[in-house]
Amino acid sequence: MKEIQRILSFVRRAVDDYAMIAPGDRIAVGVSGGKDSLTLLAALAELRRFYPNPFEVVAISIDMGLPDMDFSAVEAFTRGYGVEWKQVKTDISNIIFNIRKEPNPCSLCAKMRRGALHAAAKESGCNKVALGHHFDDAVETFMLNLFFEGRIGTFSPVTYLSRQDLTVIRPLLYAQEKDIRYFARHAEIPVVTSTCPEDHATERENMKLLLKELEQKYPGLRHRLFGAICRGKIDGFRPTGRMPE
């Protein structure tokens, strides 16, 4: 599939630059049904065919109990790449919206989903978890932390979780959202539309819009911010001499 070559080039570079994959790794890909996680799954499934370090891939989807969420197309897509797919049923939606009635549910939801994913990864014999965070996510997280917490930081390319004995990797780190969107459209990725009532009603979405406006006024701003993150060695980032195109 020629559409995936550009994504693969970004993934290969990130994996090499940050030593994300070692021989014998069994990697759980958190597949939400969105374009990012499905693109990551496709890329890692393709990468394992020729990467010098042999590794395995397992796809894990966390069902939060939201209504009208059909993962059947995701299962077919995953198995089409020869990847094992597991779905974990949870009561996260009911707990957050009905029992706790959280006024700001996103943080708790993310924490509960991570917990369920990590537990499922361990049960599946995985030593690593791959998440679909990309270039734009890194910049947006940096800005959100700066604006709302007054701190300099973002997520790490590679994070070891000592309590779970799991390593979290983010192989899409160099891929921009526009590249992922292009691949998802041309590869006919079976994206599952979220039915979460808080979808697109977040500060992250507002930051995405703000950065878009600033980028129009100051072209190349996101790349300069990403470069600053790398040069500042913020949260495990480091300068590689190879910026995303």
Side-chain angles (χ1 to χ4, degrees):
M1 184 186 298
K2 64 180 181 179
E3 291 86 0
I4 204 171
Q5 293 307 313
R6 183 169 173 80
I7 298 293
L8 266 177
S9 69
F10 290 131
V11 169
R12 176 68 185 265
R13 282 167 52 190
V15 167
D16 286 346
D17 285 349
Y18 289 94
M20 293 184 180
I21 297 177
D25 279 346
R26 183 169 167 84
I27 303 173
V29 181
V31 177
S32 66
K35 68 182 188 312
D36 301 339
S37 62
L38 289 170
T39 296
L40 174 61
L41 172 69
L44 288 180
E46 289 291 322
L47 184 67
R48 68 183 171 167
R49 295 192 300 109
F50 60 85
Y51 197 62
N53 296 337
F55 65 96
E56 300 176 59
V57 179
V58 178
I60 299 177
S61 297
I62 304 301
D63 185 342
M64 299 191 299
L66 291 166
D68 303 319
M69 294 284 288
D70 184 3
F71 284 88
S72 57
V74 170
E75 179 180 9
F77 176 82
T78 302
R79 297 196 187 282
Y81 276 96
V83 174
E84 179 185 0
W85 180 77
K86 296 184 177 182
Q87 185 178 41
V88 179
K89 300 280 188 179
T90 73
D91 201 30
I92 293 175
S93 175
N94 183 50
I95 293 171
I96 289 177
F97 294 112
N98 299 325
I99 298 175
R100 294 178 61 107
K101 295 181 171 58
E102 287 287 325
N104 299 297
C106 297
S107 178
L108 178 60
C109 178
K111 183 176 181 179
M112 294 179 71
R113 282 187 288 116
R114 281 197 303 269
L117 175 60
H118 295 164
K122 293 295 290 185
E123 289 173 5
S124 299
C126 298
N127 65 311
K128 289 183 178 175
V129 172
L131 302 179
H133 297 134
H134 48 68
F135 173 93
D136 296 82
D137 288 328
V139 174
E140 290 162 13
T141 301
F142 174 81
M143 294 292 284
L144 285 166
N145 287 337
L146 183 63
F147 275 47
F148 294 100
E149 298 182 24
R151 66 181 181 90
I152 304 296
T154 185
F155 53 72
S156 301
V158 177
T159 306
Y160 176 66
L161 307 175
S162 57
R163 288 186 179 182
Q164 292 87 356
D165 190 25
L166 282 171
T167 299
V168 176
I169 61 175
R170 294 174 166 90
L172 287 179
L173 185 65
Y174 293 157
Q176 297 181 66
E177 188 169 17
K178 65 179 182 180
D179 299 310
I180 295 171
R181 192 180 300 114
Y182 178 89
F183 170 71
R185 183 170 64 251
H186 287 80
E188 298 182 350
I189 295 287
V191 173
V192 178
T193 302
S194 175
T195 60
C196 176
E198 296 293 321
D199 196 38
H200 297 302
T202 65
E203 290 298 344
R204 178 171 292 277
E205 191 65 24
N206 293 335
M207 182 58 70
K208 188 187 297 287
L209 294 174
L210 175 60
L211 282 168
K212 183 177 180 180
E213 292 177 9
L214 290 172
E215 182 84 20
Q216 291 173 347
K217 188 173 183 180
Y218 305 104
L221 175 64
R222 288 179 305 115
H223 279 76
R224 289 193 292 276
L225 286 170
F226 190 87
I229 292 169
C230 293
R231 289 188 296 275
K233 299 181 181 180
I234 296 170
D235 291 334
F237 281 75
R238 58 176 177 265
T240 63
R242 300 188 300 177
M243 284 291 292
E245 301 171 0

